[in-house]
Amino acid sequence: MDETDPNYTKIMDYIARNPAAVLGTVDDEGPHGAVVYVIPASHGTICFVTKSGTKKYQNLTAHPKVSLTFFNERESTTLQASGHAYVADDSNGLKDLVMDKVTKAHAMVADWLPPVTKVQSGEYAVIGIELDTARLADYGSIDINGPVFTELKAH
């Protein structure tokens, strides 16, 4: 994805302002949805933290094609995205970057901890998702021509 594209900036800014998303994964029995809190990284990649013993971790390592749905009720906007998930390791520095950002973000809100901190299933794992597509719909500024869409596709 072209980071100089204004659509890229608009979509990544939207994700930064609306970090809660429903992550769609699949296993042999069918689809599974889970709420995750993501942060934008770079080069069309977003990240979240989970535990290695969760169903979402098992699903995305077996079937890395995932979907994400974001929603802002006040703005009447949605973002639908798809991409390929991978477990970040220390070789590219992504794991350290994400854990640092997550720690700083949660330190600012002392009375709230993300759900992943309450899960006892496995070790922390940073998941990167390289976005293939993203479609931001702005229904708040709808007119007779319909909603305004901002789209991105990987080349």
Side-chain angles (χ1 to χ4, degrees):
M1 293 190 166
D2 180 5
E3 292 184 29
T4 63
D5 182 341
N7 287 353
Y8 177 88
T9 302
K10 185 174 182 177
I11 286 173
M12 289 304 184
D13 286 348
Y14 182 87
I15 292 170
R17 289 189 329 274
N18 301 282
V22 176
L23 173 74
T25 61
V26 67
D27 64 14
D28 294 336
E29 296 175 12
H32 179 260
V35 174
V36 295
Y37 293 87
V38 304
I39 59 171
S42 63
H43 308 297
T45 300
I46 60 176
C47 303
F48 67 93
V49 176
T50 190
K51 293 273 185 100
S52 60
T54 63
K55 185 170 183 75
K56 72 177 145 292
Y57 181 91
Q58 294 166 358
N59 288 353
L60 64 83
T61 55
H63 307 279
K65 182 75 172 163
V66 299
S67 67
L68 293 146
T69 304
F70 300 81
F71 178 72
N72 183 306
E73 183 176 14
R74 185 178 41 80
E75 295 176 2
S76 194
T77 55
T78 63
L79 174 66
Q80 296 179 4
S82 65
H84 286 82
Y86 63 94
V87 178
D89 59 27
D90 294 326
S91 66
N92 59 12
L94 187 59
K95 185 173 184 178
D96 290 337
L97 170 74
V98 172
M99 290 305 287
D100 183 57
K101 284 187 176 187
V102 168
T103 301
K104 286 178 181 174
H106 299 310
M108 295 172 62
V109 187
D111 62 342
W112 182 82
L113 292 172
V116 70
T117 63
K118 300 170 185 167
V119 175
Q120 302 299 316
S121 186
E123 299 296 319
Y124 284 108
V126 173
I127 306 301
I129 299 174
E130 294 176 346
L131 297 178
D132 294 327
T133 64
R135 185 176 195 206
L136 175 60
D138 184 351
Y139 296 100
S141 59
I142 197 167
D143 61 19
I144 59 171
N145 296 317
V148 176
F149 295 107
T150 302
E151 295 185 284
L152 281 177
K153 293 184 179 178
H155 300 295

